[in-house]
Amino acid sequence: DSGVTQTPKHLITATGQRVTLRCSPRSGDLSVYWYQQSLDQGLQFLIQYYNGEERAKGNILERFSAQQFPDLHSELNLSSLELGDSALYFCASSAAGWGNEQYFGPGTRLTVT
Amino acid sequence: AQSVTQLDSQVPVFEEAPVELRCNYSSSVSVYLFWYVQYPNQGLQLLLKYLSGSTLVKGINGFEAEFNKSQTSFHLRKPSVHISDTAEYFCAVTVNQAGTALIFGKGTTLSVSS
């Protein structure tokens, strides 16, 4: 158990819909990262938050957005969903400082039909 | 920008045989290197990491990796594998700066059979 929790575990929705994925980092970790894992693209970094502020952006679509709340949990919002958005979405957290060791949650499997 | 190439998409081996999973990276700046393992239907678990110092890094479950700066490689090895090592293995790199994201390779599927 990494200490990172993600809900829900599975999500099935239709094209055009909007969903919210939730992540709670390990106790004390200030950084939260979101990654997308798909068969064709592999594991890709989407976005990072540090103590409530956006720190870095990767290959995140404009239809996707995220935020980190004062209690440090984070939400990834995916809107106008397309079939190609079906993937595993991972959240990871890390402590501030040297080493960049990231602890991954179990993921949310999103299926868009 | 950084990139990671895992040279083998699938590696089949027999139980108790040695294994090497190959990883090459590209970066114009100093990097940190990682190997993660993903068991079926689970998240990623850190196997080992190289930050600095000794180029031979030992991790969990009997795995080790060697950082070779001249060849820009970070190959993962285990002298004797078990059936339970069957999983997907990911090599990852990040720049030498706190709080930056991981860039992953495409992954190597290790299949251990008896």
Side-chain angles (χ1 to χ4, degrees), chain A residues 2-62:
Chain A
S2 66
V4 178
T5 60
Q6 288 187 249
T7 56
K9 289 189 79 170
H10 302 277
L11 201 48
I12 302 174
T13 189
T15 54
Q17 295 299 305
R18 172 190 168 96
V19 297
T20 298
L21 314 183
R22 182 189 168 101
C23 167
S24 292
R26 290 189 322 153
S27 177
D29 283 357
L30 298 180
S31 273
V32 169
Y33 306 78
W34 286 97
Y35 293 88
Q36 180 194 58
Q37 185 179 33
S38 62
L39 281 174
D40 51 345
Q41 299 290 328
L43 263 164
Q44 289 206 310
F45 166 66
L46 295 178
I47 196 164
Q48 178 202 358
Y49 276 80
Y50 177 80
N51 202 20
E53 295 192 4
E54 183 182 303
R55 172 68 69 89
K57 258 184 174 177
N59 297 322
I60 188 165
L61 300 170
E62 284 194 13

Side-chain angles (χ1 to χ4, degrees), chain A residues 77-88:
Chain A
N77 300 295
L78 316 176
S79 62
S80 303
L81 285 167
E82 302 175 359
L83 295 177
D85 298 327
S86 296
L88 254 176

Side-chain angles (χ1 to χ4, degrees), chain B residues 18-19 31-32 39 44 50 63 74 76 80-81 92 94 99 107 111:
Chain B
V19 70
V31 295
Y32 298 150
Y39 298 103
L44 282 78
Y50 172 79
F63 284 94
F74 190 54
L76 180 71
S80 175
V81 295
T94 188
S111 300

